[in-house]
């Protein structure tokens, strides 16, 4: 059974930093692109970042470029999102999502999400 | 960036009725259009990928159609458990991967 378990969310002041983690199990981690997708309170879904199987290719939405860093540890079957210079508009539930196989960039499995609140 | 526009915002129907949800792209996405279902308080769930392919475990009452810029998700006979927000997503041209704003289905 595929499982994605996020952790690391919480309350942080504007300008602060946070590191999200996603523990993956139930599938061959190194076969899949991995992603972060977020959802602001009461709003829709927004893709944040993606990383390829060996970590050599990373993509970001424009508003987080230079502030967020996606990474993975294939030995630990883990995905990370380092978030710096946080803004109030980054407040959202952050989901870890596994892409389908190969280069199919849609989200086949999702974690339950971790809430990040940026507020003073 | 490809913008996806979903309509209507809200669809209010009775059990057993047919639900038709629309997703329109600002430019062609070929057949690379995906649908998700999100129930209140839950993570999204993959419903349909590449226009018309149901994901594992998705009931046959869910179907998708379309090509290019106009796509439809149909629920042939609405069940109470289908109450949710439905999102479309394009995967042809990225970054960014983009979602529509969602259609809320209520009974």
């Amino acid at each position: 059974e595929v499982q994605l378990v996020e952790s690391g969310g919480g309350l942080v002041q504007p300008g602060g930093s946070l590191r999200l983690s996603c523990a993956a199990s139930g599938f061959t981690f190194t076969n899949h692109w991995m992603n972060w997708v977020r959802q602001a309170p009461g709003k829709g879904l927004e893709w944040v970042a993606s990383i390829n199987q060996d970590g050599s290719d990373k993509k970001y939405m424009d508003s987080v470029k230079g502030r967020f860093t996606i990474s993975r540890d294939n030995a630990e079957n883990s995905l990370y999102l380092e978030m710096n210079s946080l803004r109030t508009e980054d407040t959202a539930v952050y989901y870890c999502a596994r892409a389908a196989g190969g280069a199919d960039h849609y989200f086949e499995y999702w974690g339950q999400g971790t809430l990040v609140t940026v507020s003073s | 960036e490809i913008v996806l526009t979903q309509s209507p915002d809200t669809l209010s129907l009775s059990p057993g009725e047919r639900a038709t949800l629309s997703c329109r792209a600002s430019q062609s996405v070929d057949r690379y259009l995906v649908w998700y279902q999100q129930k209140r308080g839950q993570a999204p769930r993959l419903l349909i990928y590449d226009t018309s392919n149901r994901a594992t475990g998705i009931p046959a009452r869910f179907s998708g159609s379309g090509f290019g810029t106009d796509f439809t998700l149909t629920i042939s006979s609405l069940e109470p458990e289908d109450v949710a927000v439905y999102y479309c997503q394009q995967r042809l041209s990225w970054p960014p991967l983009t979602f529509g704003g969602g259609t809320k289905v209520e009974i």
Side-chain angles (χ1 to χ4, degrees), chain A residues 44-45, chain B residues 3-6 23 86-90 98-103:
Chain A
L45 301 171
Chain B
V3 176
L4 299 178
T5 302
Q6 291 188 241
C23 178
Y86 293 83
Y87 295 95
C88 58
Q89 178 230 327
Q90 67 82 21
T98 51
F99 292 90
T103 291

Side-chain angles (χ1 to χ4, degrees), chain A residues 44-98:
Chain A
L45 301 171
E46 185 174 53
W47 169 78
V48 176
S50 300
I51 186 168
N52 73 339
Q53 289 87 337
D54 66 4
S56 62
D57 192 5
K58 303 176 184 182
K59 313 282 190 192
Y60 299 93
M61 65 180 297
D62 281 350
S63 66
V64 308
K65 280 180 187 174
R67 299 190 300 122
F68 289 11
T69 301
I70 189 171
S71 62
R72 64 192 293 163
D73 183 338
N74 286 343
E76 296 291 328
N77 288 352
S78 293
L79 176 72
Y80 304 101
L81 187 67
E82 187 78 38
M83 303 186 295
N84 298 316
S85 303
L86 281 161
R87 305 168 180 167
T88 55
E89 56 264 36
D90 295 319
T91 293
V93 173
Y94 284 74
Y95 294 103
C96 167
R98 192 198 88 173

